[in-house]
Amino acid sequence: MKKKPLLALALMLQFAFVAQAQQEPVDLDMVHRIKQEGLQNSQVMKTAFYLTDVSGPRLSGSPGLTRANEWAVKQLTGWGLKNAHQEEWGTFGRGWEVEKSYIAMAAPYYQQLIATPKAWTPGTNGEVKAEAVLVKLEKEEDLQQYKGKLSGKIILTQIDNEAKTTFAADAKRYSEEELHEMAMSLEASRSQSSWTPERIAEYRARMALRNKANEFFKEEGAAVILSTRGGMHGTHFTSNGAPYAPDAKPALPELEMGLEDYNRIVRLLEAKQPVKLEVETKTRFFDKDMKGYNVIAEIPGTDKKLKDEVVMLGGHIDSWHGSTGATDNAAGVAVMMEAVRILQAMGVKPKRTIRIALWTGEEQGLHGSRGYVKNHFGDPATMKLTKEQEKLSAYYNLDNGTGKIRGIYLQGNDAVRPIMEAWLAPFHDLGATTVTIRNTGGTDHLAFDAVGLPGFQFIQDEIDYDTRTHHTNQDSYDRLQADDLRQAATIVASMVYHTAMRDKKLPRKPLPKPRQTS
Amino acid sequence: MKKKPLLALALMLQFAFVAQAQQEPVDLDMVHRIKQEGLQNSQVMKTAFYLTDVSGPRLSGSPGLTRANEWAVKQLTGWGLKNAHQEEWGTFGRGWEVEKSYIAMAAPYYQQLIATPKAWTPGTNGEVKAEAVLVKLEKEEDLQQYKGKLSGKIILTQIDNEAKTTFAADAKRYSEEELHEMAMSLEASRSQSSWTPERIAEYRARMALRNKANEFFKEEGAAVILSTRGGMHGTHFTSNGAPYAPDAKPALPELEMGLEDYNRIVRLLEAKQPVKLEVETKTRFFDKDMKGYNVIAEIPGTDKKLKDEVVMLGGHIDSWHGSTGATDNAAGVAVMMEAVRILQAMGVKPKRTIRIALWTGEEQGLHGSRGYVKNHFGDPATMKLTKEQEKLSAYYNLDNGTGKIRGIYLQGNDAVRPIMEAWLAPFHDLGATTVTIRNTGGTDHLAFDAVGLPGFQFIQDEIDYDTRTHHTNQDSYDRLQADDLRQAATIVASMVYHTAMRDKKLPRKPLPKPRQTS
């Protein structure tokens, strides 16, 4: 009996020792220096300016994307990064850009309309002045009554989408309650409650009907299609109206517009008030080089044993075409570029190589990152992995708008929790507090996760991403939050630095099964 | 001593009797019927549709205004009102409308821009493709350095107006606290704290400099001026860029745009990135009939003694040109028209004549109502009043957007407080609770107030008036709140009815001094 307390004490000491050994080291001197450079000497808004205002819309395959890629290579080289270049990831398809876009109502009175040609649709071949026709479309058979009536017409299809005034703010930040709920998640994959099987089926049926209808309108010789996917007060959402594949069937000219302009025409037509529109769009296809290219650059590792190992960070540099893709995703690119600029400006000598990647083709299906991963690390379809796959410690991604970093998604990787908690601790005062087991989807870290590599995306304040910027005609420079981007770049620089200096690579989850491409 | 309590009791009874005599009668049966018709059978949105979508922009002197006036006369007649007609109020000036408006950035890349020609500016006479030039303008002498450099150019002047993301909602309603504060006001005229003498002087100096600059740009042969008065996400404010007087000096073509599009060009030019724009605007002046006309119609009074007395209600039907003036002020017109429709549909036989007036020229200085008042009631410059002035009981105005009625401004007239309190009581459940001694300005009731007539404007919830609709390119039908307009029309109908049936006309304030045109 006497020895028991001693044994207990010994066990306790042993436990304490183990716990101490597991305490992830944080280089607070480096954190201080990174904060100094990142918060005091930030160039993140200058970088964002060149990506947005100077480069313009960066649709994959477009001259705007090429301008941005070329500028990024030059700028990364200028900051002293090594091996900056554009690296082909595979075949994308045709490029496309808008050369003119004009639409107005000409009768019953003149009114300019705000609209954007859908990507990869043709232009109107000069100005079209024509009547608008409302096609009431609930099922395929509804089309038959319009046979022979649509030649030369401008087509709208019935919508029931009110442009309802909202009494909530466009922009918001996470509340402490929301962050707490994320931190306390029971599982990595939440049930996708908003996309129920019924909703998916309904969506697919709607898309199929739309495609049938668009084919019908083309056969009937309609001149232009107008559509809307929401947006208010001059803000509207933009997307593609035809495939970018070089052998895609020709489509009709199609423009997307906001709800008010669309609803007005619908209301007038429903009240039997004739509406005439004038439309002139000119779009251009590019098919000389159908390859896709990511921008890659490095701060080489300096440790004999570890310099072949790599830490990656990145975000997609391509955008939709309605504006200059400021929050989606010049913000993420500017932050990642600023993170390596901070480290380079400090003259850090990382043990592992730090590699930045600016992906393209993301908006059409994470093509750039998936191509890169397949070329370098392995094929998720077969799970045949490369030697390089063993050498990558982690990939950090940023692609959730302009909001500051509030924490990180562990993407189901419990083993990295204590590491991330330790590395985020010096940034609690900047609002980055939350580590959540949750997965997050929809962007390039998934390409890494699919071949068993630790790929992470940060939790960011949403700001006005859903309401005003994400895939809209208003995603321009002024929507960027300068302070948030400074904060994010500083945190990313520190996370990447610590990953590059750590004794071991980051722990991994068990390998996924083949074809598990999430 | 014995008699004193009795005397006190007698005095108390007398007081009670007096108080009871002063209790304003309310016809709750009529209120019930008005609510039935106004809330169950509302046509207010249909009326708003014809004023906005069908008529279009209603700038004073424009064909859009004529369409709306003609439709209103026809509709009021159709509802059974008598003597519906357009009544000339005096000379306005030239009409003007937009026939084409197109602007885009052509270099460094193509990007459509959202902009509206300023009212009464000329068009570009075909498409202008030209360089944008940033004129840094703080004082008149700054212009000299641009001498000889602006020919054929598109001019922007430096601004420091950030398009800052807001975390507040665009739309809001009055809180109970705000209404309470209004009700508890100590005086009718609040100190105009936001327009201090310094601010007024600064504003005047800025306008004077702008006028000097615009003359200079014209002398130098510039092609187009671009300007902004704020607005975000595709919403921008619109105004006039030249006078409507027939002898106004010719101006340059000038367009107004939102902050983001403007700021982008400024940023590019500041970074020495050449910007080319393409602009084509066509505007048209109308000088055949330079008179201004209000729409007038009546429900005739039926009481032998009182039918020559009049109760008026109205709002201005003219708008700015950037959209269809839905909340400024198709909303007010639709509500006032609906109020008389309700009464007419109920077959009321008012003692006094009820007269609706839809004013024009309001946006340029309350011209229509001031002209009407001068023609009918008296000249505020001399305070020579007419016989008709004696016959008007009250004028009710609505021109604060689409929000429901929360109460009424007494415009400093304490004597009507118990009357208004009694008449609003049956509408407390609809949110109309507040009677405030305060004045409110800026619209047509002031014309009546200026000649000693009881002119009232209602307290309305602001909704998104300041942020999205008031004088913007986005003031269109979808911004109307149908429920709010139904509520407002119902309340106005009851107020007007009770005014028409009251034994006496409404009490008046002491006559103002001559030239006191507030």
Side-chain angles (χ1 to χ4, degrees), chain A residues 53 99 101 109-110 112 115 163 165 233 235 260 264 267 322 324 477 479 481, chain B residues 53 99 101 109-110 112 115 163 165 233 235 260 264 267 324 477 479 481:
Chain A
D53 287 343
E99 294 196 333
S101 176
Y109 48 88
Y110 185 87
Q112 319 150 247
T165 298
H233 310 123
T235 303
E260 296 97 338
R264 166 158 43 181
R267 280 191 304 271
T324 53
Y477 178 92
R479 298 280 64 75
Q481 301 282 324
Chain B
D53 286 344
E99 294 196 332
S101 176
Y109 47 88
Y110 184 87
Q112 318 149 247
T165 298
H233 310 124
T235 303
E260 296 97 337
R264 167 160 42 183
R267 281 192 303 271
T324 53
Y477 178 92
R479 298 280 65 73
Q481 301 282 323

mmCIF file of all heavy atoms in Angstrom, chain A residues 53 99 101 109-110 112 115 163 165 233 235 260 264 267 322 324 477 479 481, chain B residues 53 99 101 109-110 112 115 163 165 233 235 260 264 267 324 477 479 481:
data_model
loop_
_atom_site.group_PDB
_atom_site.id
_atom_site.type_symbol
_atom_site.label_atom_id
_atom_site.label_comp_id
_atom_site.label_asym_id
_atom_site.label_seq_id
_atom_site.Cartn_x
_atom_site.Cartn_y
_atom_site.Cartn_z
ATOM 1 N N ASP A 53 -7.526 45.044 -61.021
ATOM 2 C CA ASP A 53 -7.656 46.218 -61.888
ATOM 3 C C ASP A 53 -6.780 46.120 -63.133
ATOM 4 O O ASP A 53 -7.217 46.467 -64.231
ATOM 5 C CB ASP A 53 -7.251 47.487 -61.132
ATOM 6 C CG ASP A 53 -8.286 47.920 -60.106
ATOM 7 O OD1 ASP A 53 -9.435 47.449 -60.192
ATOM 8 O OD2 ASP A 53 -7.941 48.731 -59.232
ATOM 9 N N GLU A 99 -15.807 41.221 -75.831
ATOM 10 C CA GLU A 99 -15.231 42.397 -76.489
ATOM 11 C C GLU A 99 -16.241 43.543 -76.553
ATOM 12 O O GLU A 99 -15.850 44.694 -76.765
ATOM 13 C CB GLU A 99 -14.749 42.031 -77.883
ATOM 14 C CG GLU A 99 -13.590 41.051 -77.839
ATOM 15 C CD GLU A 99 -12.843 40.971 -79.158
ATOM 16 O OE1 GLU A 99 -13.458 41.235 -80.211
ATOM 17 O OE2 GLU A 99 -11.637 40.650 -79.117
ATOM 18 N N SER A 101 -20.407 44.492 -74.850
ATOM 19 C CA SER A 101 -21.646 44.046 -74.233
ATOM 20 C C SER A 101 -22.548 45.241 -74.012
ATOM 21 O O SER A 101 -22.244 46.136 -73.237
ATOM 22 C CB SER A 101 -21.350 43.354 -72.901
ATOM 23 O OG SER A 101 -22.563 43.020 -72.271
ATOM 24 N N TYR A 109 -40.125 52.276 -73.666
ATOM 25 C CA TYR A 109 -39.294 53.469 -73.496
ATOM 26 C C TYR A 109 -37.858 52.989 -73.397
ATOM 27 O O TYR A 109 -37.599 51.783 -73.262
ATOM 28 C CB TYR A 109 -39.694 54.267 -72.236
ATOM 29 C CG TYR A 109 -39.839 53.402 -71.006
ATOM 30 C CD1 TYR A 109 -38.752 53.123 -70.183
ATOM 31 C CD2 TYR A 109 -41.066 52.793 -70.700
ATOM 32 C CE1 TYR A 109 -38.878 52.288 -69.094
ATOM 33 C CE2 TYR A 109 -41.191 51.954 -69.607
ATOM 34 C CZ TYR A 109 -40.098 51.708 -68.804
ATOM 35 O OH TYR A 109 -40.209 50.872 -67.731
ATOM 36 N N TYR A 110 -36.912 53.920 -73.458
ATOM 37 C CA TYR A 110 -35.516 53.528 -73.391
ATOM 38 C C TYR A 110 -35.079 53.319 -71.943
ATOM 39 O O TYR A 110 -35.321 54.177 -71.090
ATOM 40 C CB TYR A 110 -34.615 54.587 -74.035
ATOM 41 C CG TYR A 110 -33.174 54.114 -74.069
ATOM 42 C CD1 TYR A 110 -32.709 53.341 -75.124
ATOM 43 C CD2 TYR A 110 -32.310 54.383 -73.007
ATOM 44 C CE1 TYR A 110 -31.400 52.861 -75.131
ATOM 45 C CE2 TYR A 110 -31.006 53.905 -73.010
ATOM 46 C CZ TYR A 110 -30.564 53.150 -74.077
ATOM 47 O OH TYR A 110 -29.282 52.667 -74.076
ATOM 48 N N GLN A 112 -31.521 51.523 -70.037
ATOM 49 C CA GLN A 112 -30.338 50.659 -70.059
ATOM 50 C C GLN A 112 -30.566 49.474 -69.143
ATOM 51 O O GLN A 112 -31.220 49.616 -68.110
ATOM 52 C CB GLN A 112 -29.110 51.374 -69.501
ATOM 53 C CG GLN A 112 -28.952 52.785 -69.902
ATOM 54 C CD GLN A 112 -28.238 53.591 -68.806
ATOM 55 O OE1 GLN A 112 -28.826 54.469 -68.188
ATOM 56 N NE2 GLN A 112 -26.973 53.285 -68.584
ATOM 57 N N ALA A 115 -26.306 43.729 -67.709
ATOM 58 C CA ALA A 115 -26.249 42.302 -68.043
ATOM 59 C C ALA A 115 -24.842 41.934 -68.489
ATOM 60 O O ALA A 115 -24.058 42.797 -68.863
ATOM 61 C CB ALA A 115 -27.249 41.984 -69.144
ATOM 62 N N ALA A 163 -37.409 39.937 -56.369
ATOM 63 C CA ALA A 163 -36.222 40.675 -55.905
ATOM 64 C C ALA A 163 -36.558 41.307 -54.562
ATOM 65 O O ALA A 163 -36.667 42.514 -54.424
ATOM 66 C CB ALA A 163 -35.836 41.736 -56.930
ATOM 67 N N THR A 165 -36.640 42.899 -51.051
ATOM 68 C CA THR A 165 -35.778 43.736 -50.222
ATOM 69 C C THR A 165 -35.425 42.993 -48.938
ATOM 70 O O THR A 165 -36.295 42.428 -48.290
ATOM 71 C CB THR A 165 -36.503 45.038 -49.870
ATOM 72 O OG1 THR A 165 -36.785 45.735 -51.084
ATOM 73 C CG2 THR A 165 -35.660 45.928 -48.964
ATOM 74 N N HIS A 233 -30.117 45.104 -57.208
ATOM 75 C CA HIS A 233 -29.551 46.470 -57.153
ATOM 76 C C HIS A 233 -28.403 46.650 -58.137
ATOM 77 O O HIS A 233 -27.473 47.424 -57.871
ATOM 78 C CB HIS A 233 -29.002 46.808 -55.768
ATOM 79 C CG HIS A 233 -29.917 46.543 -54.617
ATOM 80 N ND1 HIS A 233 -29.559 45.731 -53.580
ATOM 81 C CD2 HIS A 233 -31.158 46.986 -54.335
ATOM 82 C CE1 HIS A 233 -30.546 45.696 -52.684
ATOM 83 N NE2 HIS A 233 -31.532 46.450 -53.136
ATOM 84 N N THR A 235 -26.331 44.254 -59.005
ATOM 85 C CA THR A 235 -25.440 43.100 -58.837
ATOM 86 C C THR A 235 -26.117 41.894 -59.472
ATOM 87 O O THR A 235 -27.291 41.655 -59.228
ATOM 88 C CB THR A 235 -25.221 42.795 -57.339
ATOM 89 O OG1 THR A 235 -24.699 43.957 -56.700
ATOM 90 C CG2 THR A 235 -24.276 41.613 -57.144
ATOM 91 N N GLU A 260 -34.208 42.613 -61.027
ATOM 92 C CA GLU A 260 -35.132 43.731 -61.299
ATOM 93 C C GLU A 260 -35.289 43.969 -62.789
ATOM 94 O O GLU A 260 -36.411 44.162 -63.271
ATOM 95 C CB GLU A 260 -34.653 45.016 -60.639
ATOM 96 C CG GLU A 260 -34.627 44.965 -59.121
ATOM 97 C CD GLU A 260 -33.248 44.648 -58.608
ATOM 98 O OE1 GLU A 260 -32.444 44.072 -59.368
ATOM 99 O OE2 GLU A 260 -32.969 44.965 -57.431
ATOM 100 N N ARG A 264 -38.829 43.188 -64.678
ATOM 101 C CA ARG A 264 -39.582 44.258 -65.343
ATOM 102 C C ARG A 264 -40.046 43.817 -66.720
ATOM 103 O O ARG A 264 -41.215 44.030 -67.087
ATOM 104 C CB ARG A 264 -38.728 45.526 -65.480
ATOM 105 C CG ARG A 264 -39.364 46.515 -66.454
ATOM 106 C CD ARG A 264 -38.913 47.932 -66.281
ATOM 107 N NE ARG A 264 -37.480 48.044 -66.062
ATOM 108 C CZ ARG A 264 -36.858 49.187 -65.863
ATOM 109 N NH1 ARG A 264 -37.543 50.302 -65.854
ATOM 110 N NH2 ARG A 264 -35.560 49.220 -65.683
ATOM 111 N N ARG A 267 -42.838 41.286 -66.298
ATOM 112 C CA ARG A 267 -44.112 41.914 -65.900
ATOM 113 C C ARG A 267 -44.786 42.603 -67.086
ATOM 114 O O ARG A 267 -45.998 42.497 -67.275
ATOM 115 C CB ARG A 267 -43.887 42.941 -64.784
ATOM 116 C CG ARG A 267 -43.752 42.362 -63.401
ATOM 117 C CD ARG A 267 -43.794 43.456 -62.326
ATOM 118 N NE ARG A 267 -42.791 44.487 -62.509
ATOM 119 C CZ ARG A 267 -41.553 44.450 -62.014
ATOM 120 N NH1 ARG A 267 -41.152 43.433 -61.286
ATOM 121 N NH2 ARG A 267 -40.716 45.431 -62.242
ATOM 122 N N GLY A 322 -17.412 38.224 -65.071
ATOM 123 C CA GLY A 322 -18.302 39.379 -64.934
ATOM 124 C C GLY A 322 -17.642 40.592 -64.323
ATOM 125 O O GLY A 322 -18.105 41.715 -64.508
ATOM 126 N N THR A 324 -13.635 41.475 -61.937
ATOM 127 C CA THR A 324 -12.216 41.128 -61.897
ATOM 128 C C THR A 324 -11.888 40.097 -60.814
ATOM 129 O O THR A 324 -10.746 39.991 -60.385
ATOM 130 C CB THR A 324 -11.361 42.397 -61.689
ATOM 131 O OG1 THR A 324 -11.851 43.078 -60.531
ATOM 132 C CG2 THR A 324 -11.459 43.307 -62.894
ATOM 133 N N TYR A 477 -12.124 45.213 -57.011
ATOM 134 C CA TYR A 477 -11.124 45.621 -56.010
ATOM 135 C C TYR A 477 -11.714 46.243 -54.754
ATOM 136 O O TYR A 477 -11.255 45.974 -53.643
ATOM 137 C CB TYR A 477 -10.152 46.586 -56.678
ATOM 138 C CG TYR A 477 -9.077 47.136 -55.784
ATOM 139 C CD1 TYR A 477 -7.838 46.495 -55.674
ATOM 140 C CD2 TYR A 477 -9.265 48.310 -55.058
ATOM 141 C CE1 TYR A 477 -6.838 47.006 -54.858
ATOM 142 C CE2 TYR A 477 -8.279 48.833 -54.243
ATOM 143 C CZ TYR A 477 -7.068 48.174 -54.151
ATOM 144 O OH TYR A 477 -6.083 48.692 -53.340
ATOM 145 N N ARG A 479 -14.224 45.691 -53.116
ATOM 146 C CA ARG A 479 -14.841 44.746 -52.176
ATOM 147 C C ARG A 479 -13.804 44.073 -51.274
ATOM 148 O O ARG A 479 -14.156 43.319 -50.382
ATOM 149 C CB ARG A 479 -15.654 43.677 -52.907
ATOM 150 C CG ARG A 479 -16.836 44.194 -53.717
ATOM 151 C CD ARG A 479 -18.062 44.501 -52.881
ATOM 152 N NE ARG A 479 -17.864 45.582 -51.929
ATOM 153 C CZ ARG A 479 -17.807 46.881 -52.244
ATOM 154 N NH1 ARG A 479 -17.887 47.271 -53.487
ATOM 155 N NH2 ARG A 479 -17.626 47.791 -51.312
ATOM 156 N N GLN A 481 -11.128 43.725 -48.327
ATOM 157 C CA GLN A 481 -10.922 44.282 -46.993
ATOM 158 C C GLN A 481 -9.421 44.239 -46.710
ATOM 159 O O GLN A 481 -8.871 43.190 -46.396
ATOM 160 C CB GLN A 481 -11.670 43.441 -45.952
ATOM 161 C CG GLN A 481 -13.159 43.346 -46.184
ATOM 162 C CD GLN A 481 -13.885 44.599 -45.735
ATOM 163 O OE1 GLN A 481 -13.530 45.226 -44.742
ATOM 164 N NE2 GLN A 481 -14.900 44.998 -46.492
ATOM 165 N N ASP B 53 -43.215 50.614 -64.407
ATOM 166 C CA ASP B 53 -42.843 49.745 -65.526
ATOM 167 C C ASP B 53 -43.411 50.239 -66.847
ATOM 168 O O ASP B 53 -42.719 50.220 -67.871
ATOM 169 C CB ASP B 53 -43.366 48.323 -65.290
ATOM 170 C CG ASP B 53 -42.567 47.578 -64.234
ATOM 171 O OD1 ASP B 53 -41.453 48.024 -63.910
ATOM 172 O OD2 ASP B 53 -43.061 46.552 -63.740
ATOM 173 N N GLU B 99 -31.873 58.388 -75.076
ATOM 174 C CA GLU B 99 -32.242 57.473 -76.170
ATOM 175 C C GLU B 99 -31.206 56.373 -76.350
ATOM 176 O O GLU B 99 -31.476 55.352 -76.976
ATOM 177 C CB GLU B 99 -32.410 58.262 -77.471
ATOM 178 C CG GLU B 99 -33.587 59.226 -77.397
ATOM 179 C CD GLU B 99 -34.017 59.719 -78.760
ATOM 180 O OE1 GLU B 99 -33.156 59.779 -79.667
ATOM 181 O OE2 GLU B 99 -35.207 60.031 -78.915
ATOM 182 N N SER B 101 -27.504 54.830 -74.092
ATOM 183 C CA SER B 101 -26.455 55.033 -73.098
ATOM 184 C C SER B 101 -25.591 53.786 -73.044
ATOM 185 O O SER B 101 -26.041 52.711 -72.668
ATOM 186 C CB SER B 101 -27.076 55.300 -71.729
ATOM 187 O OG SER B 101 -26.055 55.400 -70.771
ATOM 188 N N TYR B 109 -8.340 46.340 -70.787
ATOM 189 C CA TYR B 109 -9.142 45.184 -71.190
ATOM 190 C C TYR B 109 -10.576 45.660 -71.282
ATOM 191 O O TYR B 109 -10.908 46.784 -70.855
ATOM 192 C CB TYR B 109 -9.022 44.028 -70.173
ATOM 193 C CG TYR B 109 -9.192 44.483 -68.747
ATOM 194 C CD1 TYR B 109 -10.446 44.550 -68.157
ATOM 195 C CD2 TYR B 109 -8.094 44.915 -67.995
ATOM 196 C CE1 TYR B 109 -10.612 45.011 -66.872
ATOM 197 C CE2 TYR B 109 -8.250 45.384 -66.701
ATOM 198 C CZ TYR B 109 -9.500 45.436 -66.149
ATOM 199 O OH TYR B 109 -9.678 45.914 -64.874
ATOM 200 N N TYR B 110 -11.456 44.837 -71.824
ATOM 201 C CA TYR B 110 -12.844 45.242 -71.974
ATOM 202 C C TYR B 110 -13.609 45.019 -70.678
ATOM 203 O O TYR B 110 -13.538 43.941 -70.076
ATOM 204 C CB TYR B 110 -13.527 44.451 -73.095
ATOM 205 C CG TYR B 110 -14.942 44.954 -73.309
ATOM 206 C CD1 TYR B 110 -15.177 46.016 -74.170
ATOM 207 C CD2 TYR B 110 -16.014 44.418 -72.611
ATOM 208 C CE1 TYR B 110 -16.465 46.530 -74.339
ATOM 209 C CE2 TYR B 110 -17.297 44.925 -72.765
ATOM 210 C CZ TYR B 110 -17.510 45.974 -73.634
ATOM 211 O OH TYR B 110 -18.767 46.494 -73.781
ATOM 212 N N GLN B 112 -17.559 46.282 -69.186
ATOM 213 C CA GLN B 112 -18.728 47.162 -69.212
ATOM 214 C C GLN B 112 -18.740 48.009 -67.951
ATOM 215 O O GLN B 112 -18.354 47.537 -66.891
ATOM 216 C CB GLN B 112 -20.030 46.357 -69.187
ATOM 217 C CG GLN B 112 -20.062 45.155 -70.023
ATOM 218 C CD GLN B 112 -20.968 44.084 -69.406
ATOM 219 O OE1 GLN B 112 -20.499 43.031 -68.970
ATOM 220 N NE2 GLN B 112 -22.262 44.356 -69.394
ATOM 221 N N ALA B 115 -23.438 53.221 -65.889
ATOM 222 C CA ALA B 115 -23.465 54.681 -65.786
ATOM 223 C C ALA B 115 -24.735 55.213 -66.419
ATOM 224 O O ALA B 115 -25.388 54.529 -67.203
ATOM 225 C CB ALA B 115 -22.253 55.280 -66.475
ATOM 226 N N ALA B 163 -15.365 53.056 -51.705
ATOM 227 C CA ALA B 163 -16.604 52.256 -51.777
ATOM 228 C C ALA B 163 -16.566 51.247 -50.638
ATOM 229 O O ALA B 163 -16.445 50.050 -50.840
ATOM 230 C CB ALA B 163 -16.702 51.550 -53.117
ATOM 231 N N THR B 165 -17.234 48.685 -47.840
ATOM 232 C CA THR B 165 -18.234 47.667 -47.514
ATOM 233 C C THR B 165 -18.896 48.010 -46.181
ATOM 234 O O THR B 165 -18.217 48.336 -45.219
ATOM 235 C CB THR B 165 -17.556 46.290 -47.410
ATOM 236 O OG1 THR B 165 -16.988 45.976 -48.673
ATOM 237 C CG2 THR B 165 -18.562 45.205 -47.014
ATOM 238 N N HIS B 233 -22.106 48.640 -55.705
ATOM 239 C CA HIS B 233 -22.615 47.342 -56.198
ATOM 240 C C HIS B 233 -23.493 47.497 -57.427
ATOM 241 O O HIS B 233 -24.424 46.709 -57.615
ATOM 242 C CB HIS B 233 -23.454 46.620 -55.132
ATOM 243 C CG HIS B 233 -22.827 46.506 -53.777
ATOM 244 N ND1 HIS B 233 -23.441 46.971 -52.655
ATOM 245 C CD2 HIS B 233 -21.677 45.960 -53.361
ATOM 246 C CE1 HIS B 233 -22.692 46.717 -51.588
ATOM 247 N NE2 HIS B 233 -21.605 46.102 -52.000
ATOM 248 N N THR B 235 -25.408 50.117 -57.981
ATOM 249 C CA THR B 235 -26.353 51.203 -57.693
ATOM 250 C C THR B 235 -25.584 52.519 -57.760
ATOM 251 O O THR B 235 -24.504 52.625 -57.193
ATOM 252 C CB THR B 235 -26.914 51.058 -56.259
ATOM 253 O OG1 THR B 235 -27.526 49.783 -56.126
ATOM 254 C CG2 THR B 235 -27.923 52.172 -55.960
ATOM 255 N N GLU B 260 -17.325 52.006 -57.550
ATOM 256 C CA GLU B 260 -16.331 50.997 -57.918
ATOM 257 C C GLU B 260 -15.816 51.202 -59.340
ATOM 258 O O GLU B 260 -14.621 51.121 -59.585
ATOM 259 C CB GLU B 260 -16.899 49.582 -57.789
ATOM 260 C CG GLU B 260 -17.286 49.184 -56.372
ATOM 261 C CD GLU B 260 -18.758 49.381 -56.130
ATOM 262 O OE1 GLU B 260 -19.371 50.199 -56.861
ATOM 263 O OE2 GLU B 260 -19.291 48.729 -55.217
ATOM 264 N N ARG B 264 -11.975 52.386 -60.048
ATOM 265 C CA ARG B 264 -11.054 51.532 -60.807
ATOM 266 C C ARG B 264 -10.296 52.345 -61.843
ATOM 267 O O ARG B 264 -9.076 52.201 -61.978
ATOM 268 C CB ARG B 264 -11.807 50.400 -61.501
ATOM 269 C CG ARG B 264 -10.927 49.708 -62.532
ATOM 270 C CD ARG B 264 -11.374 48.326 -62.921
ATOM 271 N NE ARG B 264 -12.803 48.226 -63.108
ATOM 272 C CZ ARG B 264 -13.432 47.091 -63.405
ATOM 273 N NH1 ARG B 264 -12.725 45.982 -63.539
ATOM 274 N NH2 ARG B 264 -14.724 47.053 -63.571
ATOM 275 N N ARG B 267 -7.749 54.527 -60.056
ATOM 276 C CA ARG B 267 -6.584 53.760 -59.593
ATOM 277 C C ARG B 267 -5.638 53.425 -60.743
ATOM 278 O O ARG B 267 -4.425 53.545 -60.619
ATOM 279 C CB ARG B 267 -7.035 52.457 -58.919
ATOM 280 C CG ARG B 267 -7.519 52.594 -57.497
ATOM 281 C CD ARG B 267 -7.677 51.225 -56.811
ATOM 282 N NE ARG B 267 -8.579 50.350 -57.527
ATOM 283 C CZ ARG B 267 -9.895 50.281 -57.334
ATOM 284 N NH1 ARG B 267 -10.484 51.043 -56.426
ATOM 285 N NH2 ARG B 267 -10.644 49.457 -58.025
ATOM 286 N N THR B 324 -37.175 54.079 -62.808
ATOM 287 C CA THR B 324 -38.583 54.444 -62.998
ATOM 288 C C THR B 324 -39.178 55.112 -61.762
ATOM 289 O O THR B 324 -40.389 55.116 -61.574
ATOM 290 C CB THR B 324 -39.413 53.205 -63.371
ATOM 291 O OG1 THR B 324 -39.191 52.184 -62.403
ATOM 292 C CG2 THR B 324 -39.027 52.701 -64.746
ATOM 293 N N TYR B 477 -39.631 49.108 -59.685
ATOM 294 C CA TYR B 477 -40.817 48.450 -59.104
ATOM 295 C C TYR B 477 -40.515 47.457 -57.987
ATOM 296 O O TYR B 477 -41.220 47.406 -56.979
ATOM 297 C CB TYR B 477 -41.587 47.765 -60.237
ATOM 298 C CG TYR B 477 -42.814 46.996 -59.816
ATOM 299 C CD1 TYR B 477 -44.067 47.615 -59.807
ATOM 300 C CD2 TYR B 477 -42.745 45.659 -59.458
ATOM 301 C CE1 TYR B 477 -45.203 46.913 -59.439
ATOM 302 C CE2 TYR B 477 -43.880 44.957 -59.083
ATOM 303 C CZ TYR B 477 -45.102 45.576 -59.078
ATOM 304 O OH TYR B 477 -46.214 44.878 -58.725
ATOM 305 N N ARG B 479 -38.454 47.418 -55.734
ATOM 306 C CA ARG B 479 -38.120 48.025 -54.445
ATOM 307 C C ARG B 479 -39.361 48.423 -53.661
ATOM 308 O O ARG B 479 -39.258 48.871 -52.525
ATOM 309 C CB ARG B 479 -37.199 49.237 -54.618
ATOM 310 C CG ARG B 479 -35.836 48.927 -55.252
ATOM 311 C CD ARG B 479 -34.817 48.339 -54.273
ATOM 312 N NE ARG B 479 -35.177 47.046 -53.756
ATOM 313 C CZ ARG B 479 -35.141 45.895 -54.444
ATOM 314 N NH1 ARG B 479 -34.730 45.876 -55.671
ATOM 315 N NH2 ARG B 479 -35.492 44.768 -53.887
ATOM 316 N N GLN B 481 -42.658 47.973 -51.416
ATOM 317 C CA GLN B 481 -43.139 47.042 -50.396
ATOM 318 C C GLN B 481 -44.661 47.037 -50.467
ATOM 319 O O GLN B 481 -45.310 47.983 -49.989
ATOM 320 C CB GLN B 481 -42.686 47.510 -49.007
ATOM 321 C CG GLN B 481 -41.177 47.615 -48.847
ATOM 322 C CD GLN B 481 -40.518 46.267 -48.648
ATOM 323 O OE1 GLN B 481 -41.076 45.397 -47.991
ATOM 324 N NE2 GLN B 481 -39.351 46.076 -49.225
#
